[in-house]
Amino acid sequence: MNASTTPLRNAPPERIRFKLDGRSVKLDTRVHAARGDLADLALAGVLFSAHYARAVELTCVAAGAPVLASDTPKAQAVSELLRGESFHALDVTADWAWGFCGHDGYVGYVRREALDVREAVNSRIVTGTAPLFSAPDIKSPIADYWPRGAQFTAEAEGDFFACAEGYVHQRHAAAIDAPESDWVAVAERYLGQPYVWGGRGHRGVDCSGLVQVALGQCGIKAPRDTDLQREAIGSPIAPDAPLRRGDFIFFPGHVGIMADSNNILHANAHWMSVVIEPLADVVGRLAADHAEPISARRRIGT
C-alpha cells in the first residue's frame, strides 16, 4: 500500500489527510502499534486505520509496571517497564495508556498512574535491589525499592544520588552512559530470582526478559520475545562449532545463555527460577516433546 499526505485546508497542523492505494500489509502487532480503531501515525504509509495518533513519550515512574495485553488488571502480562524506561502513548484514559515501550517497541497497556512526563535519565541501578532512602542517610525511612536496571535522573550529594523521589546510595547505582561489557556476568546477578511470565527484573523475570535486560545493560538492544530474538541476536553458530560462554541457545519458546561450554543460564518454568544447569539436562527434558529440542544457536561476535 502506498500513501501520500496532504494537510487539510484550514486544519490544525497535527491533522493530516492520507491518500491510500492498495492493500494494507499484515504487521506483527506485538511490535507495531495497531488495533481495530487506532494505529501509530508512523504506520500510516503501510497500514490502513480508521484513526491515527502521534505517540507522546512518557516515563515509567513506578519501580516496575506490567505491560498488559488488554486494559484490565487481570489481563496477561506481555512485558514489563522498569523505572525510568520510556513508554510512547497513543491513547490515554483515566486509568490506562496504550502504546509501545521505548526500548524495544513492544505494544501493550500500562496503568496510567505508573507513567509521568518524559524524563531525561542519567543513572541506573546496578545492584539486585536498591533501597530508595527518604533522606541522604542510611538510617532514614525507605520510600521504595528499585530493581536492577531501573533508571533515574540524579545529582551526586555526598555518598548518595539525589533524585525527585529520594536518595540512592552511590554503591547501588552508576552512570547510564557506563554500560557493562559481560552479559553473562550481568545475567548471573539474577540467579535465584523467580520466574515470572512477562517479567524483566522487578520481582521476577522470564527467559527472554533475562536475555533482553542482560544485553541491554551492556548497551546491546534486543527484541522482547524468543522468536524475535532468534532472528536478531548475533549470527548462527556453525553446526560443528563448540559452544562457549556467552552463546545463546534457543529452544521451542525458550532461550538461555551459555555460562560456559556445558552449562546454560536461564530463567525457566521448570525450576521457576533463574538457574545454571547442564545444557544436556534441558535438552533431555524437552526431547520427549520435541525431535529437535535446540532450534538455533547464536553468537555475538566471532
Side-chain angles (χ1 to χ4, degrees):
M1 181 180 71
N2 299 315
S4 61
T5 62
T6 305
L8 292 173
R9 181 178 297 177
N10 300 322
E14 293 298 316
R15 294 186 62 194
I16 297 175
R17 173 177 290 156
F18 296 95
K19 181 180 179 182
L20 306 172
D21 299 308
R23 292 185 175 182
S24 292
V25 297
K26 185 174 178 59
L27 300 175
D28 186 341
T29 53
R30 292 176 297 174
V31 290
H32 293 92
R35 64 187 193 191
D37 63 330
L38 184 64
D40 183 1
L41 181 62
L43 301 177
V46 294
L47 179 78
F48 175 79
S49 177
H51 301 92
Y52 297 95
R54 192 184 303 276
V56 175
E57 185 176 353
L58 303 173
T59 295
C60 177
V61 292
V67 180
L68 304 180
S70 62
D71 56 347
T72 172
K74 294 185 178 180
Q76 183 183 83
V78 294
S79 192
E80 182 176 55
L81 285 171
L82 302 180
R83 200 267 175 236
E85 291 183 327
S86 66
F87 186 76
H88 297 253
L90 296 163
D91 185 23
V92 179
T93 66
D95 297 319
W96 297 95
W98 175 74
F100 55 93
C101 302
H103 61 276
D104 60 6
Y106 213 84
V107 178
Y109 291 83
V110 176
R111 291 302 296 257
R112 180 65 185 88
E113 63 193 22
L115 303 170
D116 207 334
V117 296
R118 182 180 180 274
E119 179 181 339
V121 296
N122 61 12
S123 305
R124 62 185 175 87
I125 302 300
V126 296
T127 55
T129 301
L132 179 68
F133 296 98
S134 57
D137 181 347
I138 60 173
K139 296 181 181 179
S140 66
I142 306 299
D144 202 351
Y145 292 90
W146 285 351
R148 184 189 313 279
Q151 304 171 17
F152 57 104
T153 306
E155 294 183 1
E157 184 175 323
D159 292 333
F160 293 84
F161 288 114
C163 59
E165 296 97 322
Y167 297 83
V168 176
H169 199 280
Q170 289 197 21
R171 293 196 181 278
H172 295 159
I176 207 165
D177 59 359
E180 304 275 355
S181 60
D182 183 345
W183 54 84
V184 178
V186 174
E188 286 175 338
R189 296 172 196 153
Y190 290 83
L191 284 169
Q193 191 167 93
Y195 177 88
V196 173
W197 182 270
R200 296 179 60 249
H202 179 238
R203 300 177 181 169
V205 64
D206 65 16
C207 64
S208 56
L210 178 64
V211 167
Q212 187 186 59
V213 296
L215 287 175
Q217 290 169 42
C218 293
I220 302 171
K221 288 190 175 184
R224 180 62 181 87
D225 290 344
T226 55
D227 61 323
L228 301 174
Q229 292 179 352
R230 187 176 61 239
E231 301 303 317
I233 293 175
S235 303
I237 300 172
D240 58 345
L243 293 170
R244 66 191 190 199
R245 187 175 184 275
D247 289 341
F248 300 87
I249 308 300
F250 291 88
F251 312 87
H254 188 57
V255 62
I257 308 170
M258 294 303 294
D260 54 42
S261 59
N262 297 306
N263 296 291
I264 191 167
L265 166 61
H266 61 148
N268 64 95
H270 178 78
W271 298 111
M272 288 301 294
S273 181
V274 179
V275 302
I276 295 176
E277 62 178 324
L279 173 61
D281 288 0
V282 181
V283 171
R285 288 199 297 268
L286 296 175
D289 298 318
H290 303 280
E292 297 290 341
I294 294 179
S295 58
R297 310 188 313 165
R298 309 278 293 189
R299 176 174 295 162
I300 294 176
T302 57

